Each structure stands twice: as C-alpha cells, then as structure tokens.
Amino acid sequence: MLRTFLITTRIFAKPTFSVIPGTIGVRYWTPTVVLWKQYTNLPHSRQLPEQKTDGKESIKSNTPAAIDLEKRRKVLELEIEVMRQEGRKVPSVSTIKPDQWDHLLSLSSRNQRRHYYLYLWNVEMVRLGQKIKKERKQEEIAKRREELLKANAENDHIVYGLFHNTMFLRIYDSTMDHFHNNRLVQAMQYGVNLVIDCSYDDYMNDKEMRNTAKQLMLCFALNRSHAEPFNVHHCNANLGKTTMKQLEKHLVQLHQPEFPFNITERSYMDLFPKERLVYLTPHCKNDLTEFNPDDIYIIGAMVDKSSQEPVSLGKAKKQGLRMARLPLDSYFQFKSGKSLTIDQMLAIMLELKSSNDFGKAFQYVPRRKVTTLDEAAAKEQEMREAAKFKFNFKRTNDKRNSKKPR
C-alpha cells in the first residue's frame, strides 16, 4: 500500500517550471512537489503563494496554482485512504466539507493533518450516532402509534390525551420562539443596554474563535429566556472572520431584519456617550460595588486560553473609558484562574440587574474553580501538620548537633 502511495506521488510530481518567490526575472526548474513541501513547512502565520493577503483565494480554476492545489488534494485523499487501510481513525473523503479541505491544505505538517483527521473522524462518529438514535426513535414512535391505533379501534369510548380529545391547547415551539423574541423586541425599545465587544479575533486562534461563537449563541439564548433581558449590542463585528461565520451557522436568521439581534461593525464609541461606558475587565483594580442601570457595561468577546495578556485593559485605557471588575476575591478563593466565559458574565449581569445582589449573582461562577470551605479547612490542617513536622525535625537536628563530641 505504501508503494501505491509513492507511485501516485511520483505521478503527481511531474517537473514543471515555476518562479521562486523573491526573484525577479529568474526562472528555475523545480519540481512541483518540492515547492509543495516547502510551502507546507512554512510557519502558520505565513500564507501560501497562491493566496491573497486578505485570506481570499485569487486564483481561477484554470491557473497552474489551482491545478497544483487539486493535485495536493488528490494526494491527501490517497493519504487518507492509506491511513484507513492501516487501521487509523480518519474520516470519509465524501464527508469532508470545502472549508475543511481548505484548512487541511493550509496545515504545515503531517502531524497536524493527523490530529485534524482524528477530529473529523470524531465529528463523523458523533453524527453517525445521532443518525442511528434518530432512526431508532422514529421506529419506536411508529410502533407506539400503531399500538395506539389498534387500541383506539377496539375502544368505543372517547379517548382523552395528547393528539386526542382535550380541553387544553398545545403550545408549539414556534409559539414559544415568538414569545421570547417579543421580549427581546421590548428590551430593544425600553431595556437596559449592554455591549459585547467582538474586536478580539486577531488575538485568538481558530479553535478559540469557534468557542467564542458558541458562547455568543449561549448568551443569546440565555438573554432571550430571561424575564427582563438586556438590549445586547454586538459591536466591532468582523463578518469575514471565523467567529461571525460560525455564529451565522448557529443562528441562521442572524441577518434577517425581523430577527431581534443587534450586530454592527461600528464601535460602541460611535453609538453611546463615552461617559456612560464601563469596560468590565478582570485586569483592573477597581471593583464593581453595585449595578447602575444608567451605565452601559462592555463585555469582551474573547476566549484567552492560549494567552492571558491584559488586552481589554489596554484597550479601555487607550480609549479613556471607565473600568471595573467583579469583586470575586471578596466572595471566593480560586484554585486556578479567575476568567469567566461570556455566557457566565451575562448570567451574572442579568442577576445583578434584577436583584443587585452579588451573592445571588455569583452562583453562576463554576464551582470547579472555587475552593470550598471543606477544602480550605483541609488545606489549613495540612499546613499545620507540615509546620509541626518541620518544628519537630528542627528540634531533633539541634539535639543531635549538641550531642556531637568536641
């Protein structure tokens, strides 16, 4: 099988003439596969020669670079087939989407491709399991419906219950959607404003941007289901980045005019008075003492797992805005970092708007990050035992030193 892969690679590696970037008017004879290996070994920040600086493809399908990409894709398809026959966990070629192919072609090493193959295989297995569960559920529903039809055919009395005679009206999911959306429309007219700053795409990798999109979707669902929702404004949104593209997949109705979702490419400085804006950042030293409905609070839409730099603090200082942080240290002792997700921040702000009670609001802080009273007592006991052992060890050493002959 490895021999088949090598033969196919040699077929695709026909010598072609190409110009090495950085030279003017000089033409070298270099095999296409050698150039491909050079491109794939480039760092992730550098782009392929056949890509524009803005990330959009600038090649038509009949150009040599597009033909080279097609050859590389065929080589990757053969690589997937070889790995599958070796027993590795790789996805089916038919299930790989065009954007996933683009990401595969941009990976710089074989190890990165293997990790991405494993991720795509896991996604494929999850979808296959969901499909099997759905088919089983449909079979159970059909079987139950046949049993009900047989029972009703033998019964001469009136049958009461769901799908039968009843005095209650059924509330459909679409009715609940209209109800919750109506709440958001009222919040847009009379509610308290809240800003989510979506300008941190350049500080996140692809995985973090996808996670940010999921958290924004959870924020929308959480705010919509609340009795008194915020009028949330998603400012500084870049619709061409991964965050907004993934959010469009989660919220298909995002750009429909009747959908109650405020998203704009404009800055919050252009929409609201500067003296009313308060940037919530965990890196500042000013604690938020109470919720002021006249202030407009700003939450940064950033997942900073890879870097803990105070980016929001620097941005707020540069714009001359007031800053505040949640008084978490007054209520908890943290095991690890104090960073909260965007939906957890929104849940805390919703509770503060309703009750202005930090004790109730901080129930949304995940307990896995907080040291409980029992854990704190156990830790203190361990420290006491360690101190006793250290004291006894020191006394023993002093006695031994005093008994030594002079």
Side-chain angles (χ1 to χ4, degrees), residues 191-240:
V192 179
N193 293 314
L194 183 92
V195 174
I196 295 181
D197 187 10
C198 302
S199 63
Y200 296 100
D201 290 338
D202 295 333
Y203 299 95
M204 297 183 289
N205 54 34
D206 188 73
K207 183 179 179 180
E208 291 172 343
M209 285 191 284
R210 292 174 186 271
N211 197 356
T212 303
K214 290 181 181 179
Q215 293 183 19
L216 292 177
M217 180 196 65
L218 292 176
C219 287
F220 173 75
L222 185 64
N223 186 53
R224 193 179 73 153
S225 60
H226 198 266
E228 298 178 0
F230 279 111
N231 181 21
V232 181
H233 298 265
H234 298 78
C235 298
N236 298 318
N238 190 345
L239 301 179

Side-chain angles (χ1 to χ4, degrees), residues 308-325:
Q308 300 289 335
E309 297 179 359
V311 182
S312 56
L313 177 67
K315 184 175 183 180
K317 280 187 176 181
K318 185 178 180 180
Q319 294 177 343
L321 300 177
R322 289 182 293 157
M323 294 172 286
R325 67 177 180 180

Side-chain angles (χ1 to χ4, degrees), residues 287-289 325-334 338 358 362:
D287 287 338
L288 183 67
T289 56
R325 67 177 180 180
L326 298 178
L328 296 172
D329 293 331
S330 303
Y331 290 85
F332 303 110
Q333 184 178 358
F334 284 84
K338 304 175 186 177
F358 284 95
F362 287 161

Side-chain angles (χ1 to χ4, degrees), residues 28-231:
Y28 295 94
W29 182 81
T30 310
T32 306
V33 169
V34 176
L35 283 179
W36 172 46
K37 290 181 180 179
Q38 292 174 358
Y39 298 157
T40 53
N41 291 328
L42 287 175
H44 204 63
S45 59
R46 295 176 62 182
Q47 292 181 332
L48 299 179
E50 58 264 16
Q51 292 181 346
K52 279 187 176 181
T53 56
D54 58 353
K56 297 181 180 178
E57 295 182 358
S58 61
I59 309 137
K60 297 181 180 179
S61 58
N62 55 355
T63 58
I67 297 174
D68 183 40
L69 283 175
E70 188 64 27
K71 289 182 178 180
R72 289 166 53 190
R73 176 169 172 172
K74 289 181 180 179
V75 171
L76 291 182
E77 290 178 0
L78 186 58
E79 182 183 44
I80 292 173
E81 186 63 31
V82 171
M83 293 177 66
R84 178 184 289 107
Q85 296 189 10
E86 289 177 354
R88 297 181 180 271
K89 296 178 180 179
V90 291
S92 302
V93 177
S94 58
T95 60
I96 302 178
K97 298 179 181 179
D99 56 339
Q100 295 171 347
W101 275 117
D102 294 339
H103 183 67
L104 272 173
L105 292 171
S106 66
L107 293 179
S108 57
S109 67
R110 185 179 301 175
N111 193 27
Q112 289 181 350
R113 290 199 301 272
R114 287 177 179 175
H115 283 292
Y116 195 62
Y117 290 153
L118 181 60
Y119 164 73
L120 294 178
W121 180 83
N122 289 328
V123 172
E124 184 179 351
M125 291 299 104
V126 169
R127 289 177 179 172
L128 184 61
Q130 291 176 351
K131 184 179 179 181
I132 294 174
K133 287 182 181 179
K134 187 176 181 181
E135 291 176 353
R136 289 178 182 174
K137 190 175 181 180
Q138 289 177 352
E139 292 176 358
E140 291 176 359
I141 291 174
K143 186 177 179 180
R144 198 182 309 148
R145 187 175 297 171
E146 291 179 0
E147 293 176 356
L148 287 174
L149 289 175
K150 289 181 181 178
N152 294 335
E154 297 174 357
N155 190 7
D156 297 334
H157 299 283
I158 298 176
V159 180
Y160 294 94
L162 192 62
F163 302 113
H164 300 291
N165 295 321
T166 178
M167 59 182 292
F168 302 104
L169 293 177
R170 183 180 180 183
I171 301 177
Y172 292 90
D173 293 337
S174 58
T175 306
M176 295 305 300
D177 288 339
H178 289 308
F179 173 73
H180 292 308
N181 290 343
N182 186 39
R183 275 183 180 173
L184 288 181
V185 172
Q186 292 179 2
M188 288 179 177
Q189 295 175 343
Y190 312 108
V192 179
N193 293 314
L194 183 92
V195 174
I196 295 181
D197 187 10
C198 302
S199 63
Y200 296 100
D201 290 338
D202 295 333
Y203 299 95
M204 297 183 289
N205 54 34
D206 188 73
K207 183 179 179 180
E208 291 172 343
M209 285 191 284
R210 292 174 186 271
N211 197 356
T212 303
K214 290 181 181 179
Q215 293 183 19
L216 292 177
M217 180 196 65
L218 292 176
C219 287
F220 173 75
L222 185 64
N223 186 53
R224 193 179 73 153
S225 60
H226 198 266
E228 298 178 0
F230 279 111
N231 181 21

Side-chain angles (χ1 to χ4, degrees), residues 44 137 253 356 397 402:
H44 204 63
K137 190 175 181 180
Q253 306 169 346
N356 210 354
N397 288 338
S402 63

Side-chain angles (χ1 to χ4, degrees), residues 222-288:
L222 185 64
N223 186 53
R224 193 179 73 153
S225 60
H226 198 266
E228 298 178 0
F230 279 111
N231 181 21
V232 181
H233 298 265
H234 298 78
C235 298
N236 298 318
N238 190 345
L239 301 179
K241 291 288 186 177
T242 306
T243 303
M244 290 298 120
K245 289 182 179 179
Q246 291 296 317
L247 187 60
E248 289 177 4
K249 291 182 179 179
H250 297 310
L251 300 175
V252 184
Q253 306 169 346
L254 183 63
H255 298 294
Q256 294 183 3
E258 67 275 5
F259 190 65
F261 193 90
N262 295 323
I263 182 169
T264 177
E265 296 179 352
R266 299 172 61 188
S267 173
Y268 42 81
M269 302 287 289
D270 302 331
L271 300 177
F272 304 104
K274 182 179 178 180
E275 59 273 7
R276 294 182 59 191
L277 296 174
V278 179
Y279 212 110
L280 297 177
T281 170
H283 305 288
C284 73
K285 298 181 180 180
N286 302 323
D287 287 338
L288 183 67

